[in-house]
Amino acid sequence: MMISVIGGGYVGLVSSVCFAELGHSVNLVEIDEEKTEAINAAIPCMHEKGLEELLLKYVGTRLKARSDYSCVAETDISFLCVGTPSSGDGSPDLTMIESACRMIGTSLDGRVGRHTIVVKSTVPPGTTENRLVPLVMGSSNKMLSEMGFAVNPEFLREGLAIQDFLMPDRIVIGSSDKAAGDAVEAAYRGLDLPIIRTTMATAEMIKYASNAFLAAKISFSNEIGNICKRLGIDAYDVLRCVGMDHRIGPHFLNAGVGFGGSCFPKDVAALISLAEGLGESTSMLRAIMDVNERQPFKIIELLEQRAGDLMGKRIAVLGLAFKNDTDDIRDSRSIPVIRELKRRGALVAAYDPQAIRNMRKVINGIDYCNSAAEALRMADACLVMTEWPEFGELDDEFDLMSSRIIIEGRRVLCCDDSEGICW
Ligand code: UDX
């Protein structure tokens, strides 16, 4: 197939290389020319396992990035992968996706034959049908019968996004009509997995409900973990057994300092905003966010119990990315932790294998280090904030600290004198 992918961010870039891997010709439309040039030079703009290899394999053959929409008319199907960031009240800001819809509509004027527009971006239920379809149709001279619309949410985990694209648990396709759904299904031909066909609003809701449920599992585990900590019980021993019940499942029960990233905080906030707009109560969803906002302060509280007043103390913070195998710091729990450490007068020495460059843009006035050992040297205490595998190999490096107070917000260390936030 001839595919357009609109947006060269995380989801768009991963989707583009994966559609190329599935044998399609992909035009990636990214309005930022610097990014377009980088992609065409096979330089990934973020750290993601396997991405560079696939870019090198397909750039110049099956994959080309462009900064204008003129190529859309030559393709059969467009996947919209632009950001829908949180606006002030929690609802998603649809400015970018609305503008992309207008641009696609205009660019389809010259097209002969049907074109299907697929929304991969996360949008509230009803958005595609009620807002995006009219925008596309209003900016194009096409008949509705020449167009198909679909919603195909992504469930990609950063760090594992390529694996998740090519081996997902399911593919959800909501469509305006059968032909539109069939066109999306054809783009995934070759993957042997369950495909769920549904309405566009249902597909939109599946994405929010999935992310809210995963976030709920984490906040639930964290609250159980906080209780366990008070009782001197290891939350991991408890939750491992809880997860053996097939009705619960073993995943996403890792208690710790809370969730971050580009999806969970934004999507739970969007669902709350949506529900409240409908007059529905959101006590469960609000509790997910409340626990998540409190966890960073729990780790500071524990640190103060062990290290005393933080004024003038050197605190090593290991891990800045919101999780391992990414350089993404969006909503990373390290941000509120470092801000609070600074507020309390601590001197922060921070290290991360990939995310220092991004964190520098957000937080200054701390000591960014080139290695965990450098951060630990003469530290009065250490906080582990990201489960990078290399932290699991740290051993003698902790001897460099001036006092050995090691607190984990993620369970990753092997040394036997560390203490966890929930264990
Ligand atoms: C998530 C969803 O998993 C994905 O399906 C969606 O489309 C995008 O958002 P991602 O944000 O990449 O993916 O990361 P994920 O692995 O889900 O972790 C999110 C956060 O939760 C991280 O901060 C992680 O450390 C934390 N987490 C995860 C926990 O604290 N405990 C867990 O058990 C699992």
Side-chain angles (χ1 to χ4, degrees), residues 236 255-258 295-296 299-300 302-303 315-324 332-334 337-338 341 349-353 372 375-376 381-394 398 401 405-415 417-423:
Y236 277 69
V257 73
Q295 282 312 91
I299 203 168
I300 301 276
L302 183 59
L303 172 65
I315 309 297
V317 173
L318 301 187
L320 302 172
F322 82 93
K323 65 180 216 181
N324 56 301
S332 168
R333 300 294 75 197
S334 301
V337 163
I338 294 175
L341 287 172
Y351 168 69
D352 187 282
L376 290 168
C382 161
L383 299 180
V384 178
M385 297 297 298
T386 312
E387 61 269 55
W388 282 102
E390 70 170 67
F391 296 160
E393 284 158 27
L394 294 174
F398 291 114
M401 299 173 70
I405 298 170
I406 307 163
I407 300 177
E408 288 181 271
R410 309 278 179 201
R411 189 156 172 149
V412 57
L413 299 183
C414 290
C415 59
D417 57 350
S418 69
E419 177 181 9
I421 179 173
C422 300
W423 60 96

Side-chain angles (χ1 to χ4, degrees), residues 1-3 23-26 76-77 79 182-188:
M1 293 172 84
M2 297 282 290
I3 293 181
H24 305 296
S25 288
V26 181
D76 313 304
I77 188 165
F79 285 85
D182 290 348
V184 184
E185 216 174 306
Y188 289 100

Side-chain angles (χ1 to χ4, degrees), residues 224-351:
I224 293 290
N226 294 341
I227 302 167
C228 286
K229 181 76 184 175
R230 294 262 179 189
L231 296 170
I233 297 168
D234 183 334
Y236 277 69
D237 290 343
V238 172
L239 291 163
R240 192 170 40 249
C241 278
V242 169
M244 288 168 82
D245 185 323
H246 74 276
R247 293 167 302 174
I248 297 172
H251 306 290
F252 275 70
L253 297 177
N254 293 330
V257 73
F259 57 78
S262 62
C263 286
F264 289 168
K266 163 177 92 71
D267 292 351
V268 178
L271 199 48
I272 291 172
S273 157
L274 171 79
E276 290 182 348
L278 297 169
E280 278 306 320
S281 78
T282 52
S283 20
M284 288 266 304
L285 297 172
R286 285 196 171 275
I288 297 172
M289 298 298 270
D290 288 349
V291 174
N292 202 51
E293 270 148 37
R294 278 200 304 272
Q295 282 312 91
F297 297 95
K298 298 289 289 182
I299 203 168
I300 301 276
E301 204 179 285
L302 183 59
L303 172 65
E304 262 192 339
Q305 280 167 21
R306 301 296 179 254
D309 186 2
L310 299 178
M311 180 63 73
K313 296 245 164 76
R314 179 175 163 97
I315 309 297
V317 173
L318 301 187
L320 302 172
F322 82 93
K323 65 180 216 181
N324 56 301
D325 295 328
T326 178
D327 58 359
D328 196 341
I329 57 150
R330 281 176 288 178
D331 261 310
S332 168
R333 300 294 75 197
S334 301
I335 297 173
V337 163
I338 294 175
R339 290 204 168 125
E340 188 59 18
L341 287 172
K342 285 180 72 183
R343 202 183 65 78
R344 294 184 189 211
L347 310 169
V348 177
Y351 168 69

Side-chain angles (χ1 to χ4, degrees), residues 43-63:
I43 301 167
C45 359
M46 70 253 183
H47 176 79
E48 180 64 38
K49 194 165 145 212
L51 180 59
E52 189 170 11
E53 289 82 344
L54 288 182
L55 280 171
L56 285 166
K57 197 165 162 193
Y58 295 118
V59 159
T61 54
R62 287 190 208 155
L63 173 61

